[in-house]
Amino acid sequence: FRINDTSGASQFSTSDDVDGTPFLDAGAAEQLIIDTTETTNEAFTGQLGFRYFKFVNRFTFSTDFRVFSGINFQDSFGTTYTETTIYGPTPPIAEDADVTNFIVNETGRIYTRNDEFFLGFDVRGELSYQLTKMLSVRAGFQLIDIERGLWRGGNNIGQLTGGRNDQDFLMVGGTFGATLNY
C-alpha cells in the first residue's frame, strides 16, 4: 500500500524578537521561514493470517487477523522558503515606511530516498444479522497498526521540519453494509 504525508512549518521573526537583538545588522527587519515536505511511502509486504466464522441462529460473527512485513520504499521532497524584509529609516509600524530590500530565497526541491523494514498487523471483526433468506445486514470494525517503518514529517532539510523514517501509525475505522443473495 501507499501512504503519503505532507507537512509544513513556519516561523516569523522581527528585528526586536525576544531579547531585542536584531537577527540582521540592518536594523528594522522581518523574516518568514516556511519549510514544506512531501513524503511518499510505498510498502510491498507479504502477509500471514487467519479467519474465523461462527454461526448462531440468524447471527454470523467473523474475524480476521493478519500480520504483514516487507520493505517500504520511501521518498521525500523538501523546500525551504525564506522571505526577508528590511525597512528603511522610518519606523516599520508607520504607514509610509520604506521597504529598502525584499529578499526571497528558495532552496529548490531537495530529494531524499530511503528503504525501511516494514512491520504491522490488521484486525477486523464483523457481526451480521440475516433479515430474510436473501438479505443480511452487517457492522464491524477494523484496526490497522503499522508498528515501524513509516516515514512522516519530511527529510530534515529545513530549520523547522523533519521526521524519522521508522515511525509507527495506527488507523481505526468502522464498517457497515448489506448482503444480497439471490
Side-chain angles (χ1 to χ4, degrees):
F1 53 85
R2 178 181 295 165
I3 297 176
N4 296 332
D5 179 67
T6 302
S7 62
S10 63
Q11 176 182 355
F12 181 76
S13 303
T14 62
S15 59
D16 54 343
D17 271 351
V18 188
D19 61 356
T21 306
F23 63 88
L24 292 173
D25 294 332
E30 296 174 336
Q31 187 174 55
L32 175 65
I33 301 171
I34 301 172
D35 283 344
T36 60
T37 58
E38 299 170 17
T39 307
T40 302
N41 295 273
E42 292 191 21
F44 295 95
T45 67
Q47 64 181 351
L48 181 64
F50 69 89
R51 291 184 178 158
Y52 176 75
F53 291 90
K54 176 76 174 173
F55 301 98
V56 177
N57 296 330
R58 292 179 163 232
F59 290 98
T60 302
F61 173 74
S62 63
T63 185
D64 294 359
F65 179 78
R66 299 180 185 122
V67 176
F68 52 86
S69 179
I71 187 78
N72 185 9
F73 300 109
Q74 303 169 332
D75 299 300
S76 184
F77 295 92
T79 305
T80 299
Y81 302 95
T82 305
E83 295 180 6
T84 305
T85 305
I86 302 171
Y87 294 96
T90 57
I93 296 175
E95 288 183 27
D96 59 347
D98 295 327
V99 176
T100 58
N101 201 354
F102 184 72
I103 306 163
V104 177
N105 294 328
E106 181 180 342
T107 60
R109 289 179 62 88
I110 296 177
Y111 174 73
T112 307
R113 187 179 185 305
N114 187 51
D115 297 333
E116 193 70 37
F117 175 71
F118 199 73
L119 179 66
F121 66 89
D122 179 4
V123 176
R124 300 178 195 192
E126 189 172 80
L127 182 63
S128 172
Y129 181 73
Q130 190 78 35
L131 292 172
T132 67
K133 183 177 178 182
M134 294 177 51
L135 181 65
S136 65
V137 293
R138 61 179 187 248
F141 75 94
Q142 181 172 7
L143 180 134
I144 299 174
D145 188 8
I146 299 170
E147 293 293 323
R148 68 173 314 274
L150 192 66
W151 194 0
R152 295 183 295 165
N155 55 11
N156 290 320
I157 60 111
Q159 302 172 26
L160 309 174
T161 60
R164 296 186 344 262
N165 55 9
D166 63 346
Q167 296 183 45
D168 59 346
F169 188 61
L170 178 67
M171 295 176 278
V172 179
T175 61
F176 179 77
T179 304
L180 180 62
N181 294 319
Y182 62 93

